Amino acid sequence: MANREELGIIRGARAGDAVSQLALGKLYLFGGASLPRSMPTALHWLSRAAQQQQDEAWMLIGHHIPFEYAQHCQPAVLPWYDRAYDAGVAPAGLVLAQLVLGQPMAPSCRALRAKAMAALESAARDGSAEAQQLLASQRGETAAPAIAAPAAAAGVDGPAWSGPGAVQFAALEQAWQAHDYRGYLRAALPLARAVLQGAPADAEAARVAAWPVEPQQVQLLARCAEALDGLAEHDPELQQCRELAAHGGDRQAQLALGLWFARMNCAGERLAAGIAAVNFKRAIRWLTLAGEQGMAEAWYALSRIYLKPEFSQRSVAEAQAYLERAAEMGHRVAQLECGVYAWRTRRNGELSDVRAAYWLQKAAAQGCAEAEAVLAKIAAPVAAPGWTEAVLPLLTRALADSQPLLAARIELASLFGLTRAETLLLDVKAADHGHCLVVDIRASYGRSKRRLILLRTAQQRQALDRIVRQFEHVDSGPDGLEGNYRQRLYRLKTWLGAGMPSLLAA
């Protein structure tokens, strides 16, 4: 549920304000108070801000938006990665290379291809596995130079380890992408064992010894651990690979290690197999590290831990905080639980039902049927009332120009099925909560009931934005420009009454 400040930023961005577009892009990039992280949406708004000379926008794109999102809008975002790389943003160089070298380009773009190749070579030297693979394919190499990696830890000598050549790396990548775990392990385990031979026994020992690890090693160990876990083989090697990969910063390994120490799965269900004695302290440490790297499942698992009766630091408040963090990052079950919790506790806060609708809509958008069922209880489907059907044909351009606010209210009623009293008395600005419309006129019309109307389509959102802009500088209270209910009703009747005898009699 977007708060007031974020709603103002959204409206400004949609109206074309460059500063608002930059601010909205940053909210979606890093996550706001109530807006979830969304890389595609962040890229959209940052790109629009960059087009309006907001230099920070293309710097953020170069630093934080990876190739998997940039590839879908290449022509529009390519200049931003080019600028960011020129400004010294190293991650932008790899994405630039992936965008430019992954497709044929016109001869006039040879200078850009040369720059992309230089960026790719720099990223490959820094140990990027993606850069090394792309560089090998560009050069048509059959082998790549060995990548030296430390093989000794804490003063213990071990055999030297060298990374896979280009052909071997491509075979490993192909097997991994095809989910051929047995084939991957046949080629990867010898390399992983060379790393493990001189490595500490676990992550704690690696931390104490400050064991150095290369990014390519981390990926190798993490993938071996995941493949071994899927095949339920080589338990000792599985655990050592997982712990060392987690020490190296692999978020998937950190998540798996945290769940192992908690002896549960991602849904919080207790597992029969796992560590002999549950260690919640170490589980929380690894799950927190994984969550800080964007793993929504880690925050959800933490929320389950803080609800466990056997956990000495059990806290419902902590559990709810972690649950909301998971929901903000797109975890469907967390969104459903946040929505259901807000709905059940709606008597504790006036806007609890609004918050419930927000989370349930998020879960429903991801295909959660249970969320849709709860939404049906919170807000009934919009049904156009008969009175607007008779009024709309009478709305000529001349009438709308003479009474723009009243015309906007009638359009709002037609869109969202408002009664006549709701149409005339609704505070349009206060009613808009981004994802829903809160219809509450009880202060002026005692017979009415408070209700929520969900915004289901982009057309509804656009129409509501346009209508709200008309009321931005208007006091919609009974002492404002529009007057009280009797005055507004009289204006409606005299404005359209000649063509509507039934309205005059109402």
Side-chain angles (χ1 to χ4, degrees), residues 14-75:
R14 288 173 175 166
D17 180 69
V19 176
S20 296
Q21 290 171 347
L22 173 61
L24 186 57
K26 291 165 73 174
L27 284 175
Y28 279 113
L29 182 62
F30 303 113
S34 42
L35 289 177
R37 292 183 65 188
S38 173
M39 286 290 184
T41 311
L43 178 58
H44 169 76
W45 288 113
L46 289 174
S47 182
R48 290 187 61 178
Q51 290 171 8
Q52 298 198 63
Q53 312 306 316
Q54 295 290 317
D55 292 346
E56 186 182 357
W58 51 260
M59 289 288 285
L60 288 169
I61 290 173
H63 266 296
H64 300 288
I65 307 294
F67 171 70
E68 61 185 291
Y69 301 105
Q71 63 181 327
H72 302 299
C73 44
Q74 181 196 19

Side-chain angles (χ1 to χ4, degrees), residues 268-335:
E269 299 165 343
R270 187 174 179 84
L271 298 178
I275 190 171
V278 174
N279 190 329
F280 285 126
K281 182 178 179 180
R282 296 187 71 180
I284 289 172
R285 176 196 168 204
W286 290 113
L287 290 172
T288 301
L289 289 173
E292 288 172 349
Q293 291 200 71
M295 296 293 288
E297 297 91 340
W299 296 126
Y300 183 77
L302 280 168
S303 75
R304 303 303 91 183
I305 288 177
Y306 276 91
L307 286 178
K308 288 185 176 293
E310 63 267 31
F311 182 39
S312 60
Q313 299 178 38
R314 184 179 186 272
S315 169
V316 175
E318 286 282 347
Q320 187 63 27
Y322 286 125
L323 187 68
E324 291 196 4
R325 292 192 73 168
E328 287 167 1
M329 297 180 70
H331 195 282
R332 188 178 74 171
V333 177
Q335 291 169 343

Side-chain angles (χ1 to χ4, degrees), residues 102-126:
Q103 65 171 11
M105 301 190 71
S108 59
C109 299
R110 286 175 181 169
L112 185 58
R113 290 184 66 87
K115 181 191 292 186
M117 182 60 76
L120 184 63
E121 291 172 348
S122 176
R125 285 194 299 271
D126 290 340

Side-chain angles (χ1 to χ4, degrees), residues 137-482:
S137 67
Q138 289 294 314
R139 290 176 171 174
E141 294 179 350
T142 58
I147 302 174
V156 178
D157 294 330
W161 180 88
S162 60
V167 173
Q168 188 179 12
F169 184 91
L172 286 172
E173 192 67 24
Q174 184 178 3
W176 184 259
Q177 296 300 332
H179 303 288
D180 178 12
Y181 293 149
R182 293 187 184 277
Y184 181 84
L185 287 173
R186 279 195 297 270
L189 267 182
L191 295 170
R193 285 168 179 156
V195 178
L196 296 178
Q197 188 170 351
D202 55 29
E204 194 61 28
R207 183 183 66 83
V208 172
W211 183 65
V213 59
E214 295 284 341
Q216 194 178 36
Q217 289 177 300
V218 172
Q219 183 191 72
L220 176 71
L221 293 172
R223 287 183 172 181
C224 283
E226 190 174 342
L228 289 168
D229 192 30
L231 298 174
E233 296 176 354
H234 308 284
D235 286 346
E237 289 182 335
L238 160 64
Q239 189 59 23
Q240 192 179 11
C241 284
R242 178 181 288 161
E243 293 220 15
L244 294 178
H247 163 73
D250 184 86
R251 62 178 192 168
Q252 194 67 46
Q254 290 169 345
L255 171 64
L257 188 58
L259 293 172
W260 186 79
F261 278 120
R263 202 171 179 176
M264 68 183 193
N265 59 19
C266 285
E269 299 165 343
R270 187 174 179 84
L271 298 178
I275 190 171
V278 174
N279 190 329
F280 285 126
K281 182 178 179 180
R282 296 187 71 180
I284 289 172
R285 176 196 168 204
W286 290 113
L287 290 172
T288 301
L289 289 173
E292 288 172 349
Q293 291 200 71
M295 296 293 288
E297 297 91 340
W299 296 126
Y300 183 77
L302 280 168
S303 75
R304 303 303 91 183
I305 288 177
Y306 276 91
L307 286 178
K308 288 185 176 293
E310 63 267 31
F311 182 39
S312 60
Q313 299 178 38
R314 184 179 186 272
S315 169
V316 175
E318 286 282 347
Q320 187 63 27
Y322 286 125
L323 187 68
E324 291 196 4
R325 292 192 73 168
E328 287 167 1
M329 297 180 70
H331 195 282
R332 188 178 74 171
V333 177
Q335 291 169 343
L336 171 63
E337 291 187 16
C338 282
V340 171
Y341 176 79
W343 178 241
R344 287 175 178 170
T345 59
R346 60 189 179 278
R347 298 186 186 278
N348 299 338
E350 185 181 358
L351 296 178
S352 289
D353 56 347
V354 176
R355 190 165 186 80
Y358 171 79
W359 289 122
L360 291 169
Q361 277 186 295
K362 292 284 187 184
Q366 297 192 62
C368 181
E370 189 177 346
E372 281 286 5
V374 181
L375 278 173
K377 299 177 183 178
I378 296 176
V382 173
W387 79 275
T388 55
E389 294 177 4
V391 168
L392 284 175
L394 304 174
L395 279 178
T396 63
R397 182 179 293 275
L399 286 174
D401 290 342
S402 65
Q403 294 287 345
L405 297 181
L406 190 53
R409 286 184 177 276
I410 293 173
E411 182 184 359
L412 192 68
S414 175
L415 280 170
F416 298 106
L418 305 183
T419 66
R420 192 180 65 182
E422 290 170 342
T423 302
L424 294 174
L425 292 173
L426 184 66
D427 185 340
V428 179
K429 293 180 291 184
D432 181 14
H433 286 265
H435 64 286
C436 71
L437 201 67
V438 178
V439 181
D440 187 4
I441 60 169
R442 292 173 294 177
S444 304
Y445 198 80
R447 289 180 289 172
S448 67
K449 292 183 179 180
R450 184 181 184 276
R451 63 192 183 102
L452 263 61
I453 300 173
L454 302 179
L455 274 68
R456 295 284 193 176
T457 66
Q459 289 77 12
Q460 288 178 327
R461 180 68 260 172
Q462 291 167 2
L464 183 57
D465 283 341
R466 175 170 44 80
I467 292 170
V468 168
R469 281 197 296 270
Q470 293 184 254
F471 288 86
E472 279 185 349
H473 304 293
V474 175
D475 181 3
S476 297
D479 299 323
L481 177 65
E482 295 181 280

